[in-house]
Amino acid sequence: MPVHRLLLSFGLALLTACAQQPANNVTLQPGERQSCPPVRLVVGQTLTLILPSNPTTGFRWQLHEAAPGVLGSLSPEVYSAPEDAGLVGGAGESTWRFQASAPGEGRLLLTYQRPWETDVPPARTVDCTVNVRQ
């Protein structure tokens, strides 16, 4: 077999193997939806959750469940506002980062509400099933 064919075969095999590896980071942006499709991760993958947020209205995302035993937190919530908006009190995004730590299934549950309004249902809820495999 000529050397160039051998190199071509090796290159194609390498590309195929790389294509089968999961992306290192999975980003989830449910937006206005109340739920999200099941999230499938492999141990070691990072999950970034990005949700629309405007804390100047008093509303905050509250993390109730973070798939304990399946996900580990990499950082607390980080709020960022778009720089080009130029509006004081404009909406932005809240971001959380997690890492798949062990195989199994868990629930990622967040609500968007004013913390002092305990008798009022949340304005939004994000409820996701997280499946982690080895």
Side-chain angles (χ1 to χ4, degrees), residues 66-107:
V70 174
L71 291 180
S73 178
L74 292 176
S75 67
E77 173 190 10
V78 175
Y79 174 77
S80 59
E83 293 178 20
D84 59 350
L87 299 173
V88 175
E93 297 176 331
S94 290
T95 303
W96 291 264
R97 293 185 62 236
F98 303 95
Q99 186 169 33
S101 57
E105 184 173 293
R107 180 181 188 197

Side-chain angles (χ1 to χ4, degrees), residues 26-31 33-40 47 49 106 108 126-131:
V26 174
T27 301
L28 181 61
Q29 291 182 280
R33 291 184 290 171
Q34 296 295 314
S35 62
C36 58
V39 179
R40 289 173 175 66
L47 172 64
L49 177 64
L108 189 57
V126 172
D127 192 357
C128 304
T129 299
V130 178
N131 293 299

Side-chain angles (χ1 to χ4, degrees), residues 7-24:
L7 289 175
L8 180 62
S9 297
F10 177 73
L12 288 174
L14 184 60
L15 284 174
T16 302
C18 289
Q20 293 174 353
Q21 295 299 316
N24 191 38

